[in-house]
Amino acid sequence: MELISVIVPCYNEQESLPLFYREITAVTDGMKEKYYNENISDLAFEFIFINDGSKDDTLKILRELSDTDKRVRYVSFSRNFGKEAAMLAGLEKSRGDYCVILDADLQHPPKLIPQMYDYVRSGEYDCAATRRISRKGESKALSFFARSFYKIINSISQTHIVDGAQDFRFMTRQMVNAILDMPEKNRFSKGIFSWVGFDTKYIEVENTERAAGKTTWNFKKLFLYSLEGIFAFSTAPLWISLIMGIVFCLLAVAMVVKTLICGEPMEGYPVIVALVCLIGGIQLFCMGVTGQYISKMYTEIKGRPSYIIKETEETKRPVRKNNPKGLK
Ligand code: UDP
Ligand code: MG
């Protein structure tokens, strides 16, 4: 028997969850039957939902699902810790021979799972993932920003991050264990998936719209997330600040030499102001860059957990409907 863990991060997904559950179970039931009838494999599934501090009825739906379907397990966080923490919690809780991570909003079509399983089962690949080939439905500015991000990070980082690669991934236990062996707290999964290596098959897909609810990502969040990726997987910004420092030192020396040799002092108040502003700005920029790495070290050293679990399907607390003592 082969167990496949389906991991689903959820944040305010009360509208999508019932649709998602219907679709994923249809796909997995079909897969189980097909592979069993064709004598290929005997499959079992577990569904691990991570409630990432949702403010709507997501947790209530998960409780109900786990009551009616024993394959449904869930982890509910004490607050919103972000999708990265949710994916980590799902992988840590999983027991499967294979793990597949996908979004709850059906933007990652569950019908691709059988194809992903085929690629990985063939032994040729350790992982199958989707890669977005079109950026339909996305603003021009965002597309431009995303493309530039991939160009920059791939030119300065040794870890290659595939343009458009999504978090929708089907992985072997061996690869999952390698990911779990990375103890870092500043997690940038796109980089982590690539850094651990292994052979990945990219399935090219068109962009799919959300089934229901709305995205929590905006330009500011994406910008900060991309900086997170650059600082987590490259030290090139430190080199850039070092080189800028050297160039400006050389420039200063050249100016002094020019004044001494040619006897022509540089004159004028605006020149001095411009130079002070330029050098001051560059110093602040370099300090900012160094500060980013120090702040990452600071969060790593503090060693705080990536997430805090409030409830799971095993520790479910009964919710009392009436309030016997009339407590407020
Ligand atoms: N998500 C999460 N925590 C968050 C934000 C999002 O677990 O803080 C989940 C969300 O429920 C969904 C997936 O991550 O299943 C992708 O989020 P979303 O659809 O908002 O992002 P997008 O598809 O627009 O990149
Ligand atoms: Mg989405």
Side-chain angles (χ1 to χ4, degrees), residues 9-11 13 52 80 82-83 86 103-105 107 210 215-217:
C10 307
Y11 178 59
E13 297 287 4
D52 184 13
N80 178 255
K83 188 184 174 188
D103 288 358
D105 56 12
Q107 279 190 298
R210 240 177 183 276
T215 177
T216 52
W217 290 93

Side-chain angles (χ1 to χ4, degrees), residues 74-201:
Y74 69 86
V75 174
S76 184
F77 289 171
S78 60
R79 64 168 170 85
N80 178 255
F81 281 91
K83 188 184 174 188
E84 290 288 340
M87 291 195 288
L88 176 66
L91 291 174
E92 283 178 345
K93 194 175 166 72
S94 69
R95 300 185 281 219
D97 303 296
Y98 302 99
C99 288
V100 51
I101 304 178
L102 74 170
D103 288 358
D105 56 12
L106 291 173
Q107 279 190 298
H108 296 161
K111 62 172 191 289
L112 290 178
I113 295 177
Q115 196 186 346
M116 292 173 135
Y117 172 64
D118 284 339
Y119 278 122
V120 176
R121 198 178 51 86
S122 72
E124 202 176 330
Y125 299 101
D126 307 283
C127 172
T130 52
R131 189 170 89 83
R132 220 157 58 140
I133 45 166
S134 80
R135 296 194 164 270
K136 252 193 308 187
E138 200 179 75
S139 74
K140 282 218 168 72
L142 203 63
S143 296
F144 172 75
F145 173 72
R147 283 212 188 90
S148 315
F149 164 72
Y150 285 111
K151 269 197 204 124
I152 293 172
I153 195 154
N154 284 326
S155 60
I156 62 177
S157 167
Q158 281 164 1
T159 309
H160 182 72
I161 294 174
V162 177
D163 187 356
Q166 296 179 309
D167 294 333
F168 186 11
R169 268 163 201 269
F170 192 105
M171 295 171 278
T172 58
R173 171 54 47 191
Q174 192 189 19
M175 179 162 171
V176 170
N177 287 345
I179 291 168
L180 293 179
D181 275 345
M182 295 176 76
E184 58 214 74
K185 303 282 175 220
N186 298 290
R187 293 188 87 84
F188 179 72
S189 285
K190 286 187 198 316
I192 291 179
F193 291 140
S194 223
W195 189 89
V196 291
F198 296 100
D199 294 314
T200 302
K201 167 75 191 171

Side-chain angles (χ1 to χ4, degrees), residues 186-188 223-233 296:
N186 298 290
R187 293 188 87 84
F188 179 72
F223 179 67
L224 293 178
Y225 184 63
S226 56
L227 286 186
E228 186 87 20
I230 290 176
F231 289 118
F233 281 90
K296 299 286 168 232

